[in-house]
Structures are given as structure tokens and as C-alpha cells.
Amino acid sequence: MSARRTAVTALLLLVTLTVGGCSGDSEPVGDSTDVASSAAAETEEVDDASDDAPADDTSIEDVLDAAGVDDELVNRLGEVGDANGYGLGVGVETDLEQRRGLAALQVDTCRNVAVGYRSWDGIQNSDVGGGATEEQAAAMADFLRTEFCPHVAPLKEGPLPEQTLGGPAEDGQGGRGLATTRTWWEHRYQRVSWTEECAAQTGQPLGDPLAYRIARDAVMCAEVPTARAKGRFVAVDVVFAAPVSADRAGKTVLSLLPSGASVSGETEGTNPDWSPLDGGCLAVDFRADGLAKVLADGPGDPDPWAHGIYYSDGATEDGAVGPYTGKVKQILLGTGKSEPSASGVTAC
């Protein structure tokens, strides 16, 4: 949903893995010799977001060093991956560089389980949905749980900065949150701990995390925007302390859009067929003519639309965690309209 590290992008060129994700745009392959890594569900987005990645993005080696994962552990993971199709195919040996890429992805898997964002059962089911046999998925999950993850250090969040608040309610282009820059956010909303406020709901970040309190019971969770996004938050998560009404969710979205925005339509969605989860969501489109001005110097062509995907519980790389109940715990908010899949179904 946001900036991705070069560390993960580099893996895409090294290791053959199936792509999945909440968007439902990609289907996993059926060949169990080319199994999806449990942490690779967002790789398609990683690739798209990497073209203009800052030159100082974290490298694979930096990720592993920070996690306390050495080459001996990398090779042990690689052997399990090679034996079970989590690389170039069952029984095909990967080299150290490729194994480091796989290890960097699995560092995020470990951290996401540690904060409660994902479960081992969910990860195994996801891998089976991606083409692994139950035995292969179980072998990888067992090694991660018992041998690899115990050595992975938690993500270390930097100290919160001192802020000077009281900035304008709108930026110079009329933006009020979505598509505005980090500088505007820093002077408008209080920074809070991403680890405490966002981790369990949105997972561990692949980029540098940011979290701002936008209401007494709501935070905005995001990552530092990429160069490709021209420094603008074009996709963020809004997380409520407890589920709220759809009406409250809609008002929260409108407060983050230029003045004059309005709801233009909504569609109930379901998880894609390949998802191991039985879940649903509500996709809401917002007409926001002011976004064209806000994005005039932003990425792509200016678009007068925004969309919110409402989740009653939450979402992982596999889609919505549970059914949509009319209450909203989390909103994925982005520029542009929500688009149905090739089959015409709105995917969660």
C-alpha cells in the first residue's frame, strides 16, 4: 500500500515466487514447484513502486543485519526453501544471494506473526493457496516458527521527533490529508508510535513507518512516500481503536479529502477465489475534484477520485480477515477509483 524497500524489490529479480495480494489482480500458480513465499504476497506492488526508489533505500544485507540473521541461518532457511519449492523449484539449489532475498522476506513474516498481524495457520493456508502442498507449507512454517524466527530481532522504531503543531488545515493546493506531503502532516497531526498504534492492524512496514493521530480514537498508518509518489501519501490506512459506524468512517475519509468531496458509490466486495480467508469488505468511491489540483505536481495524471476499502476486522495480504458487518475497524484509503477484478467482482 505504500513505499517498499529495495531489499524486497531485489528479491523479485532473484527468486521465482508466486504473486498474490489484497488486490486480487494476480492468481497463484498451481505448480507446487513454484510456491509463494508467505511474505511475498505484495511483490507485484513492490516492483511497481521501485522504479524511482530513493538511492539510500535499505539493502538486503542491512535488513538481515538489523534482524540479527547471519549467513549460516540464511543457508539453513535456503535449504528448507529449496527442498520445498520456495525458490527456483523443488530440489533446485539457490545461491547465497538468492537465499538472502528469501530470508529478508521471511524476516517480515516473523515480525508480522510476532505483532499479531498474521498467524501460522493463516500463513500455511496462504502458501497452500499459492501452490504449495500441505506438507511443503508445513515444513516451511515449522522451520520458521522453531528455528528462524526465534533469532529475528524486533523492528526497532526510531524515537518520535519533536513537533511544532498548529499548521494550516489545508496545504497550499487545498489538500487535507490524502495526497499531501509529510511536511504538512508533521505540522498538522501528532506523531505516535507506529509499533504501538498500527503494527497489529497493518503488519510490519517494508519502508520507514509513520503514524499520526487524526482523532482521539483514530490514527493514520503509512510509510514514508517513495520518490515515485513525489513525496505524497497516495495510499494510507486509517485504524480506529474500536469498530465505528460506516457513517463515521465516511466522515473520517471526507475530512482527509479536499473540501467539497462526496460519496459517489459503494460496492460490497469479497476475497479473491485463491484467498484462504472467508472475508468481505465495502468499497466506497469518493468524488473529490480538488484532488486534481492537489496532485498537479504528484505522480501520474491528476484524478478527481479517491476510494476507501472498509474492513470490519482488518486485512492481510490474503484479503479481508472476516466478513463486512457494517462496522469499520480499518480503512485502506487511496487516490483513484476502486476497480473490480477481471471477473467484475470487487476484491478485498
Side-chain angles (χ1 to χ4, degrees):
M1 314 173 204
S2 46
R4 299 296 187 226
R5 283 193 301 236
T6 298
V8 181
T9 304
L11 176 65
L12 307 181
L13 305 177
L14 302 173
V15 183
T16 304
L17 295 169
T18 305
V19 178
C22 296
S23 67
D25 293 335
S26 303
E27 295 292 334
V29 297
D31 184 355
S32 63
T33 65
D34 213 10
V35 177
S37 164
S38 56
E42 292 178 279
T43 52
E44 183 175 275
E45 181 184 353
V46 176
D47 195 30
D48 291 342
S50 67
D51 296 344
D52 298 301
D56 59 351
D57 273 357
T58 308
S59 69
I60 287 177
E61 289 79 7
D62 290 339
V63 171
L64 297 178
D65 287 345
V69 176
D70 59 22
D71 284 348
E72 179 183 358
L73 186 57
V74 166
N75 279 320
R76 290 171 61 199
L77 173 66
E79 291 170 359
V80 175
D82 292 347
N84 291 281
Y86 283 76
L88 303 177
V90 174
V92 180
E93 185 173 348
T94 51
D95 61 28
L96 178 59
E97 186 177 8
Q98 293 165 336
R99 290 177 174 183
R100 283 173 176 163
L102 177 61
L105 284 179
Q106 300 296 19
V107 163
D108 285 325
T109 298
C110 298
R111 288 172 172 169
N112 280 329
V113 172
V115 298
Y117 175 64
R118 302 200 73 187
S119 68
W120 290 117
D121 284 345
I123 289 167
Q124 285 186 233
N125 289 338
S126 178
D127 283 3
V128 171
T133 65
E134 292 186 1
E135 292 76 14
Q136 289 169 335
M140 176 57 78
D142 184 63
F143 181 82
L144 291 173
R145 182 176 61 251
T146 62
E147 301 292 334
F148 186 80
C149 292
H151 296 280
V152 173
L155 183 71
K156 185 176 181 180
E157 186 176 9
L160 297 177
E162 294 184 5
Q163 292 177 266
T164 302
L165 299 177
E170 298 181 350
D171 69 4
Q173 289 75 39
R176 300 195 298 177
L178 185 67
T180 52
T181 65
R182 179 179 177 180
T183 299
W184 179 86
W185 276 91
E186 288 289 333
H187 293 291
R188 182 64 184 170
Y189 292 108
Q190 182 68 48
R191 281 276 296 275
V192 295
S193 168
W194 189 94
T195 300
E196 295 178 5
E197 301 284 353
C198 301
Q201 194 69 32
T202 65
Q204 294 287 19
L206 293 173
D208 294 325
L210 292 170
Y212 299 90
R213 183 162 302 287
I214 61 176
R216 178 182 54 81
D217 62 342
V219 295
M220 185 277 269
C221 309
E223 295 169 15
V224 174
T226 62
R228 185 185 183 92
K230 303 295 181 64
R232 296 183 177 277
F233 292 98
V234 295
V236 304
D237 283 287
V238 175
V239 174
F240 297 97
V244 300
S245 68
D247 180 65
R248 164 71 192 287
K251 290 178 179 178
T252 299
V253 172
L254 290 173
S255 74
L256 298 175
L257 298 177
S259 178
S262 60
V263 174
S264 65
E266 57 184 46
T267 306
E268 290 194 20
T270 61
N271 286 343
D273 292 340
W274 53 261
S275 174
L277 301 176
D278 182 16
C281 61
L282 184 70
V284 184
D285 286 322
F286 296 83
R287 178 77 186 195
D289 293 327
L291 275 179
K293 182 179 179 181
V294 176
L295 289 170
D297 63 344
D301 297 325
D303 192 338
W305 297 95
H307 68 277
I309 309 297
Y310 296 180
Y311 300 99
S312 294
D313 190 341
T316 71
E317 292 89 343
D318 305 317
V321 173
Y324 178 68
T325 65
K327 294 288 188 177
V328 182
K329 170 71 173 176
Q330 180 178 344
I331 304 169
L332 170 59
L333 176 61
T335 57
K337 296 185 72 173
S338 57
E339 298 293 342
S341 65
S343 63
V345 177
T346 297
C348 298

